[in-house]
Amino acid sequence: MSALLEVAQLRTHFLTRAGVVKAVEGVSFTLERGEILGLVGESGSGKSVTGFSLIGLVDPPGRIVSGSIRFDGQELVGLAPDRMRALRGKRIAMVFQDPAATLNPVLTIGAQMALAVQAHGGGSERAARDLAARTLTRVGIPDAAARLDAYPHEFSGGMRQRVAIATALLHGPELIIADEPTTALDVSIQAQILAEMKQLAKQSGTALIWISHDLATVSSLADRVLVMYAGRIVESGPVASVLRAPLHPYTRGLLDSLPAMARPGEKLNQIPGSTPSLLSLPPGCPFAPRCPRATDICRSDPPVVTQPGRMALCHHPLEMAAA
Amino acid sequence: MSPALSAFWQEYRENWIAVVALAVVAIIVAAALFAPWIAPQDPYDLANLELANARRPPGFVGSDGYVHWLGTDAQGRDLFSAILYGLRISLQMGIAAGAVALTIGTLLGVLAAHAGGKVEAGIMRLVDLQLSFPAILLALVLVAVLGQGRVPLIIALVTAQYAYFARTAYGAATAERQKDYVEAARATPLPGRRVVFRHILPNCLPPLIVVGTVQVANAIALEATLSFLGLGLPPTEPSLGMLIANGFQYMMSGRTWISVYPGIALIVLIVAINVVGDQLRDQFNPRLRR
Amino acid sequence: MSAILTAEHVTRRFSPRVTLGDRIAGLLGAKVDRRAVQAVTDVSLQVQQGETLGLVGESGCGKSTLGRMLAGILPPSEGAVRLSGASPMRGKHKTTTRIQTVFQDPNASLNPRIRIGDTIAEGPISHGLVTRANAPAMVAEWLSRVGLDPAFATRFPHQFSGGQRQRVAIARALAMQPEVLVCDEPVASLDVSIQAQILNLFLDLRQQLGLTCLFISHDLSVVRHVSDRVAVMYLGRIVEMGEAAKVYAAPRHPYTQGLLDSVPKLMLGGNEGLSFKPISGELPSPLSPPPGCAFNPRCPKATELCRRERPPLTAREDGTLVACHHA
Amino acid sequence: MLGYIIQRLLQAALVMLAMSALVFVGVYAIGNPIDVLISPDATQDIREAAIRHYGLDLPLWQQYLAFLGRLLRGDLGTSFVLNIPVTDLVFSRLPATLELALASVLIGAFIGIPLGVYAGYRPESPLSRGIMAFSVLGFSVPTFWIGLILILTFAVNLDWLPAGDRGPTVEVLGVGWSFLTWEGLQFLLLPALNLSLFKLAMMIRLSRAGTREVMLSDTVKFARAAGLSELTILRRHVLRLISIPLVTVFGLEFGSTLAFAVVTETIFSWPGVGKLIIDSITSLDRPVMVGYLVLVAFLFVTINLVVDLTYALLDPRLRRGGRAA
């Protein structure tokens, strides 16, 4: 059987007043059924835009300019809007960052979930509410049937995110894209949601793309990790080996920036400089200006993928043996 | 031009309708400003008027050799001249009333936002009450009580409009007040006056400019309406509204130009100002920026 | 060492406005919600000269409110804050310049219409710390000390990246020559790589200037990295306070334990298990905190005593203060 | 919620008291109150009798209390010109205005909201630009001018509809209504259209702005991610979200329409209260002016109260929170 998702040379650009923002520039990866993939990067790395590209919800003025997204063998780039809609929520679902903003404040939880149920095939209002209540119970909301008539503001942040997750789970999708779903939550609630998501994904065999800026979160959840920088995937591989022995200097720098990796009070091994503007990327490797290993070739020629299997987009990858 | 301003102008230029509107406003303001030199006739000088020339259609050549391109009104005034002078009055009234209302309203709004407590509650209750009360009614009653003339009219227009500015300034100032940089200024600590005038007030200006533009247009329309109802300026200084009102009775008999041309001038002016205001509103709205 | 900044039984309430209508409705027998939110309850602490005290807790625990009271921005409802023995405020207004604050979001804490040089200079000029003529030199010095090009003084905030803006905000606070610096989540809105730069800058400047600091953050590892002592807050109270190394190595309060366990760790050896252990349940509403120990509904060790009696914050043999019946 | 209702009622009463005091001071204390109460051509004897009768020789605060007392009994004096009690006069004219205002607000809402939602949904389409151009016109062009053009076009040139007056009415509940007959409707159409254009423009702009903002929100994005069709998103999510501010605007606009009817009624000779107030101003019929003011103030305070309470009822965040201030 082929992979569930095959993304090849995806490019998503935003035509803004200031110029073309190349938010996603040549992203390729595959995702197996039931696999959990971590998509890690700092703000502006293109990780969220990648997620929205997959589900066909890039806001104008952004659009997919080229590349291919094959979902279960079907090409999604250029798919007719109504066929794309039929996939969304049914086979590919998405959970967003801020649960306070995603739920409609003036509709009850039950009404919103019923709309999501009925979006894919009729069914009675009654059946829709039953399904909603059952799914809410699955994500750990007690007394779900009674809470269908509550409004979002009557829930806590963690509970609202559970409602959003339940909405995504309604039709038993094959793929869930989760865009920083725990960033807006407290640590103790984040831990609850992470544990539940991991369990739900394993139980139902749903593939999960977990977009996050937090390496630690991804490391305890994902099977494989993709590290993004300036719209490109700079490194990918099984999560444990990437974190134990990163090939790309950026991944190394990211790990060294974590206070948890250093002795308290000691200076952190910081990456100098800041993320380049996506409007005017340097020729060659976009990380070169901040990279301790950069040489002339990095500044002139774009790097190519090295080390198949464990992939890194770098002229001078770190030695695997260094670990 | 500062870089911020030139970037603003760059964006403004992209909407050609707004550019045309701005040009129209500029031309009308210039025409009104130089009316005494442009207008073929001084419409206020009753000695110039001859009844023989009254209600003549556009293109009529008057007894004194004028070509009345837009015709004449019931008193024999050259309509083109009357419109230029009428625009002058309309603009004077609109801008004067707008400026006074802007000043009073902004001060009240910012004061309410800054003082808080009872002062805030008192001012904003009054403003809200007035906002719910239609401007035209208020102006009608004030003109009825105060009598006709420029000053009563401006008082009426200001009373009818200051509340919009106060509400806008208050809204903007309370939003600013909650922003971190105001808290940072207070935490330094900087003196209260400096916080208000250097940090809060300048950041309230964009919405006030938008409301200001729209309110000048509204003041002009309101003045015209009051004049149309016979409650505006005295008939010796006909504003656009009064010219239209005077022509109304001749409309049924087919002499439409007496009302229609002043009306077109009025509408072009108001529409142009509103289009400019709309564009400014869009450009100032951070939620629609990309 | 001596305490430079102290809080004595500080409490802060935010009361709802009860209108006349509410009162009449109350007389008619309707239920009127007059419960005040008690953001901070009876907190006492001391910040010693030269140390960094970390204040850590989840959102809504009152750490920011406590920080704002200690910084002299918000007056306490009860109790007193003293900076070297004197209150930093008169009435509702801050009077001292000796304590300065760095805020969370540098995009919001810098006025977008003011050049950053003027932002840095306006406080010192208005308090006579520098003359108008000498201000540019002072601005240039501070910009270079926080790692920015002095020529940037004439730029506006939007011309900077988030990390650079936070550097400006730090320069603004330090240009006031404070003895105490309150940092309210200074790196929460920054990316990891930028966060490391700002933390390094903070460590450098703290050492160079001999600053006393209160460092507020929800991020346990960040607090651990910069703090000498740490105070853990839950629902408006301090539940555990002591030397950072001891609290992190051997947390005594079940909440501290649970919080530390909740944080996902970097898993370098595969992830078959979970690298974290969630605390069960949710934060209770601060409008109606549970009786007894506020943590009892979520606590694995809770007993009848915990539901009945609130444990006081008491010192243990190694000097750590803990508010728990069973620790 | 009960507390909020009581609070708003108290405020409404306070506002009415303040309005009555203002009217009292403005008309009775500054002007010569006897001018308001007695026709100028009354004899000296009648004047003096009236002064005693109305207690104008008493201290000011007692006069105010007496004025309040008369107000509460519904006694607003008698029109000089028509010699009818002001209360009767105003109430006989009110239905015509109410009918006109309601018709125009309904036209504004039922045409304006769909157009505005469309313009907000597809802000770049040519039709949307057309709708917005129309709304700028409707917003800018003064009501009286539109009235003139309507008369010129439909009454004078095309001769399709009557140019003025109210035409025949049908008595229901003791009040005459136009909209019940075809002929009556014809008389109602032009003035209602005239009065509605401003509302229409306003409704278009408000619903467009609301829609645009909501369409960019995560709520809509999340609904799309769940596979909802665009029509469902518009109907169930967007409309519901923008309806709360729209309902309140609808209420407030109904109030201001009553006032703006002044212009339309003058142009179309529509026999409502607006026409009445203009006539009373030009004929210096002060009791009518005073009575009208007090009544309109009362109407406005009531409308505002209803709007505020509706708002609190519609928004679940306010409804169940119990605190709506």
Side-chain angles (χ1 to χ4, degrees):
Chain A
M1 206 151 87
S2 65
L4 178 66
L5 188 70
E6 287 174 278
V7 179
Q9 289 303 317
L10 180 69
R11 293 165 76 226
T12 304
H13 293 180
F14 288 74
L15 279 90
T16 67
R17 196 176 298 286
V20 180
V21 174
K22 298 174 178 170
V24 176
E25 184 66 8
V27 160
S28 307
F29 65 92
T30 59
L31 177 71
E32 302 299 328
R33 284 165 209 281
E35 187 183 23
I36 302 181
L37 183 69
L39 189 52
V40 175
E42 298 186 288
S43 47
S45 63
K47 57 187 191 303
S48 287
V49 179
T50 304
F52 282 113
S53 301
L54 297 181
I55 198 166
L57 285 180
V58 180
D59 278 329
R63 63 188 198 89
I64 298 175
V65 291
S66 70
S68 141
I69 301 167
R70 295 188 84 81
F71 174 76
D72 197 17
Q74 185 180 16
E75 179 59 55
L76 299 188
V77 176
L79 191 67
D82 56 328
R83 294 185 59 196
M84 190 70 219
R85 185 185 73 73
L87 283 178
R88 279 200 292 262
K90 178 89 177 161
R91 301 182 66 193
I92 307 176
M94 189 152 180
V95 181
F96 294 12
Q97 174 169 348
D98 184 4
T102 49
L103 299 178
N104 189 333
V106 296
L107 291 181
T108 61
I109 300 297
Q112 297 186 51
M113 291 186 72
L115 285 176
V117 175
Q118 289 169 332
H120 301 286
S124 66
E125 178 85 22
R126 179 68 186 256
R129 284 175 65 95
D130 279 353
L131 178 59
R134 282 202 308 279
T135 321
L136 284 177
T137 311
R138 273 177 71 200
V139 297
I141 293 187
D143 198 13
R147 306 218 66 182
L148 285 179
D149 292 321
Y151 286 92
H153 72 274
E154 297 170 88
F155 284 82
S156 69
M159 284 298 176
R160 270 181 247 174
Q161 195 60 296
R162 286 191 168 87
V163 172
I165 291 169
T167 309
L169 287 172
L170 280 171
H171 297 280
E174 290 141 88
L175 170 63
I176 296 180
I177 301 162
D179 183 20
E180 304 239 22
T182 59
T183 304
L185 305 176
D186 273 321
V187 202
S188 67
I189 306 300
Q190 159 177 299
Q192 296 173 358
I193 301 245
L194 281 178
E196 283 159 20
M197 277 306 273
K198 183 158 185 169
Q199 201 197 357
L200 284 167
K202 291 294 173 209
Q203 267 176 10
S204 55
T206 302
L208 183 61
I209 296 181
W210 189 271
I211 301 170
S212 175
H213 66 278
D214 184 10
L215 285 167
T217 309
V218 166
S219 82
S220 53
L221 191 72
D223 304 313
R224 271 196 314 134
V225 63
L226 308 176
V227 182
M228 283 192 78
Y229 186 81
R232 296 151 172 84
I233 292 174
V234 294
E235 175 156 10
S236 71
V239 68
S241 35
V242 168
L243 295 184
R244 203 178 322 117
L247 297 180
H248 200 285
Y250 174 66
T251 317
R252 176 80 262 161
L254 215 49
L255 283 164
D256 288 346
S257 295
L258 293 174
M261 298 288 278
R263 295 248 301 273
E266 285 195 351
K267 292 210 26 184
L268 301 163
N269 206 351
Q270 68 186 43
I271 307 177
S274 52
T275 329
S277 158
L278 293 172
L279 280 167
S280 53
L281 284 174
C285 173
F287 188 61
R290 304 175 75 186
C291 184
R293 298 169 68 86
T295 59
D296 284 343
I297 188 171
C298 302
R299 286 180 271 274
S300 58
D301 294 10
V304 288
V305 173
T306 55
Q307 310 264 16
R310 282 287 309 281
M311 163 284 209
L313 195 67
C314 183
H315 287 295
H316 310 293
L318 295 144
E319 296 298 321
M320 281 180 106
Chain B
M1 205 152 51
S2 82
L5 209 60
S6 94
F8 195 84
W9 171 239
Q10 283 296 328
E11 193 178 339
Y12 188 96
R13 249 177 29 183
E14 285 175 25
N15 184 348
W16 64 269
I17 298 177
V19 175
V20 170
L22 191 64
V24 168
V25 172
I27 291 169
I28 290 182
V29 169
L33 217 55
F34 300 111
W37 292 275
I38 302 171
Q41 190 189 64
D42 179 356
Y44 298 157
D45 189 351
L46 297 177
N48 281 342
L49 307 181
E50 282 195 35
L51 274 178
N53 291 341
R55 300 190 290 279
R56 296 299 187 168
F60 170 78
V61 182
S63 55
D64 37 15
Y66 288 138
V67 183
H68 299 292
W69 292 111
L70 300 181
T72 61
D73 77 355
Q75 276 87 45
R77 278 194 192 95
D78 175 47
L79 257 183
F80 178 63
S81 309
I83 288 172
L84 283 181
Y85 276 79
L87 276 173
R88 211 171 145 89
I89 294 177
S90 291
L91 273 172
Q92 277 173 3
M93 288 291 150
I95 292 173
V100 176
L102 173 88
T103 315
I104 296 177
T106 306
L107 285 178
L108 277 179
V110 173
L111 176 70
H114 185 64
K118 290 218 158 58
V119 179
E120 176 179 10
I123 293 177
M124 290 327 287
R125 275 275 149 234
L126 181 73
V127 166
D128 281 346
L129 177 72
Q130 231 195 293
L131 278 180
S132 67
F133 214 77
I136 183 150
L137 210 61
L138 215 62
L140 261 181
V141 170
L142 275 172
V143 169
V145 172
L146 297 175
Q148 296 188 330
R150 286 184 182 226
V151 176
L153 194 58
I154 289 183
I155 292 177
L157 293 177
V158 168
T159 317
Q161 297 198 309
Y162 84 94
Y164 290 93
F165 290 101
R167 171 57 51 212
T168 310
Y170 173 77
T174 25
E176 287 311 307
R177 192 175 58 170
Q178 283 156 3
K179 292 211 175 130
D180 279 3
Y181 60 79
V182 174
E183 172 147 61
R186 282 177 210 259
T188 299
L190 295 178
R193 243 178 319 115
R194 193 174 171 85
V195 175
V196 172
F197 286 105
R198 182 115 167 98
H199 289 274
I200 296 182
L201 204 53
N203 285 297
C204 298
L205 281 181
L208 282 171
I209 292 171
V210 173
V211 174
T213 337
V214 174
Q215 287 303 323
V216 167
N218 281 355
I220 292 172
L222 196 55
E223 185 275 330
T225 305
L226 288 175
S227 292
F228 177 80
L229 293 174
L231 298 166
L233 293 175
T236 46
E237 296 177 59
S239 73
L240 290 177
M242 187 163 299
L243 288 175
I244 298 168
N246 290 343
F248 186 33
Q249 50 185 310
Y250 304 105
M251 216 144 176
M252 307 298 168
S253 54
R255 295 188 182 94
T256 50
W257 66 88
I258 307 179
S259 267
V260 167
Y261 289 123
I264 289 174
L266 177 70
I267 289 165
V268 168
L269 175 62
I270 298 175
V271 170
I273 296 178
N274 274 330
V275 169
V276 172
D278 256 15
Q279 175 66 19
L280 292 182
R281 186 195 311 267
D282 279 357
Q283 276 188 248
F284 282 135
N285 186 350
R287 295 208 48 154
L288 302 176
R289 300 308 297 266
R290 18 185 83 138
Chain C
M1 276 216 297
S2 61
I4 179 165
L5 181 65
T6 60
E8 293 157 14
H9 303 289
V10 167
T11 292
R12 177 69 210 197
R13 261 187 305 275
F14 296 98
S15 308
R17 229 168 49 111
V18 178
T19 60
L20 184 61
D22 288 331
R23 287 202 199 113
I24 296 174
L27 289 180
L28 294 175
K31 271 231 297 263
V32 178
D33 198 353
R34 290 187 206 185
R35 293 171 300 176
V37 174
Q38 193 119 321
V40 173
T41 310
D42 193 23
V43 165
S44 296
L45 58 78
Q46 302 187 330
V47 187
Q48 307 293 332
Q49 179 83 49
E51 77 164 347
T52 296
L53 176 68
L55 203 53
V56 70
E58 297 182 280
S59 58
C61 72
K63 58 185 188 302
S64 272
T65 306
L66 180 59
R68 280 152 48 91
M69 286 193 286
L70 288 166
I73 303 171
L74 191 71
S77 308
E78 282 165 35
V81 169
R82 295 192 196 289
L83 180 65
S84 307
S87 169
M89 304 185 82
R90 196 164 55 224
K92 283 177 164 179
H93 298 283
K94 185 181 172 190
T95 49
T96 185
T97 62
R98 292 165 58 209
I99 185 160
Q100 291 294 323
T101 312
V102 176
F103 294 90
Q104 169 172 354
D105 184 357
N107 306 328
S109 71
L110 300 176
N111 190 328
R113 284 170 202 277
I114 299 185
R115 295 175 198 277
I116 60 145
D118 297 338
T119 291
I120 294 171
E122 66 174 344
I125 290 175
S126 113
H127 287 279
L129 300 175
V130 67
T131 61
R132 209 165 271 282
N134 292 337
M138 178 214 64
V139 168
E141 195 206 322
W142 275 111
L143 284 177
S144 66
R145 285 191 88 157
V146 297
L148 292 174
D149 184 343
F152 289 175
T154 54
R155 294 197 181 174
F156 288 95
H158 69 88
Q159 293 169 287
F160 294 93
S161 69
Q164 289 174 320
R165 268 177 258 186
Q166 196 60 300
R167 288 174 194 266
V168 174
I170 291 173
R172 167 178 59 187
L174 294 180
M176 291 298 291
Q177 303 167 20
E179 291 154 61
V180 182
L181 190 65
V182 174
C183 301
D184 187 1
E185 300 264 15
V187 292
S189 62
L190 303 177
D191 274 323
V192 182
S193 67
I194 307 302
Q195 165 180 303
Q197 296 173 1
I198 298 295
L199 289 179
N200 282 346
L201 175 69
F202 172 78
L203 293 175
D204 272 350
L205 290 170
R206 184 181 68 178
Q207 196 198 358
Q208 287 168 20
L209 303 169
L211 284 172
T212 305
C213 297
L214 182 73
F215 197 100
I216 304 167
S217 176
H218 70 281
D219 187 324
L220 289 155
S221 63
V222 168
V223 169
R224 170 75 186 103
H225 193 71
V226 300
S227 308
D228 302 306
R229 283 195 307 134
V230 61
V232 183
M233 288 187 76
Y234 187 75
L235 223 62
R237 292 175 194 269
I238 292 180
V239 294
E240 183 161 0
M241 176 159 61
E243 281 178 40
K246 288 181 187 162
V247 171
Y248 275 77
R252 286 205 176 80
H253 197 285
Y255 174 65
T256 316
Q257 289 167 4
L259 198 59
L260 285 167
D261 286 345
S262 300
V263 183
K265 319 286 179 298
L266 269 179
M267 301 275 284
L268 303 181
N271 62 355
E272 281 318 303
L274 283 175
S275 69
F276 53 88
K277 209 166 67 200
I279 305 176
S280 66
E282 298 217 347
L283 198 71
S285 159
L287 280 170
S288 52
C293 172
F295 190 58
N296 84 67
R298 305 173 75 182
C299 183
K301 294 184 184 171
T303 60
E304 194 46 48
L305 178 66
C306 303
R307 284 183 270 278
R308 209 176 52 236
E309 237 175 78
R310 190 171 46 75
L313 191 66
T314 52
R316 305 302 150 99
E317 62 280 7
D318 65 348
T320 307
L321 297 157
V322 185
C324 180
H325 291 299
H326 304 290
Chain D
M1 192 68 208
L2 182 63
Y4 177 67
I5 296 174
I6 294 175
Q7 182 71 15
R8 289 296 288 112
L9 280 172
L10 286 176
Q11 278 170 4
L14 202 69
V15 167
M16 274 316 294
L17 207 63
M19 280 304 295
S20 71
L22 272 180
V23 170
F24 175 77
V25 170
V27 180
Y28 281 64
I30 295 177
N32 187 355
I34 202 69
D35 292 346
V36 181
L37 298 166
I38 304 288
S39 184
D41 37 283
T43 66
Q44 193 60 27
D45 286 351
I46 297 176
R47 286 180 79 89
E48 276 167 16
I51 287 176
R52 273 192 307 280
H53 177 253
Y54 285 108
L56 292 176
D57 42 354
L58 296 172
L60 208 59
W61 64 272
Q62 286 188 7
Q63 288 186 37
Y64 176 59
L65 285 185
F67 169 74
L68 266 187
R70 289 198 299 276
L71 272 189
L72 288 178
R73 286 196 305 274
D75 174 8
L76 294 169
T78 305
S79 160
F80 298 157
V81 180
L82 301 165
N83 209 17
I84 309 173
V86 172
T87 328
D88 296 354
L89 193 59
V90 172
F91 276 114
S92 72
R93 298 289 200 96
L94 205 54
T97 300
L98 281 178
E99 183 175 49
L100 182 61
L102 199 62
S104 65
V105 171
L106 287 178
I107 293 175
F110 279 101
I111 301 177
I113 294 174
L115 289 182
V117 169
Y118 177 81
Y121 179 68
R122 291 242 178 278
E124 311 289 334
S125 87
L127 181 56
S128 298
R129 291 182 190 278
I131 292 172
M132 286 318 289
F134 169 77
S135 93
V136 172
L137 278 178
F139 210 65
S140 308
V141 182
T143 306
F144 70 90
W145 174 252
I146 295 175
L148 290 186
I149 298 298
L150 285 177
I151 291 179
L152 194 61
T153 316
F154 293 102
V156 179
N157 287 346
L158 296 172
D159 199 19
W160 286 352
L161 293 163
D165 224 333
R166 196 178 177 195
T169 56
V170 178
E171 291 255 330
V172 174
L173 302 171
V175 183
W177 303 100
S178 296
F179 71 96
L180 295 169
T181 60
W182 173 238
E183 212 190 337
L185 265 181
Q186 286 185 324
F187 276 91
L188 180 62
L189 189 61
L190 276 189
L193 203 61
N194 176 217
L195 195 50
S196 75
L197 279 178
F198 184 83
K199 315 286 137 199
L200 191 63
M202 185 128 173
M203 285 288 173
I204 288 177
R205 292 166 77 90
L206 282 171
S207 40
R208 170 179 179 264
T211 306
R212 257 186 111 174
E213 207 150 293
V214 172
M215 286 313 292
L216 293 174
S217 71
D218 273 5
T219 302
V220 165
K221 224 172 181 189
F222 187 66
R224 282 184 174 149
L228 268 62
S229 69
E230 295 293 292
L231 198 63
T232 312
I233 290 173
L234 279 179
R235 271 185 29 224
R236 301 295 302 270
H237 283 286
V238 177
L239 214 53
R240 199 53 229 282
L241 274 169
I242 65 169
S243 70
I244 295 172
L246 280 181
V247 165
T248 67
V249 169
F250 186 90
L252 293 177
E253 281 306 302
F254 180 65
S256 83
T257 310
L258 286 177
F260 255 95
V262 170
V263 179
T264 302
E265 288 178 5
T266 308
I267 299 171
F268 288 90
S269 319
W270 186 263
V273 278
K275 186 91 170 53
L276 181 68
I277 179 76
I278 290 291
D279 290 347
S280 71
I281 288 174
T282 42
S283 62
L284 294 173
D285 197 347
R286 291 177 80 176
V288 179
M289 285 164 63
V290 172
Y292 175 78
L293 273 187
V294 172
L295 241 135
V296 164
F298 179 71
L299 217 58
F300 266 89
V301 168
T302 315
I303 291 174
N304 271 333
L305 186 66
V306 172
V307 164
D308 278 6
L309 295 183
T310 319
Y311 194 104
L313 273 179
L314 275 178
D315 192 331
R317 285 162 292 191
L318 300 182
R319 191 195 318 155
R320 299 214 184 168
R323 200 168 278 156

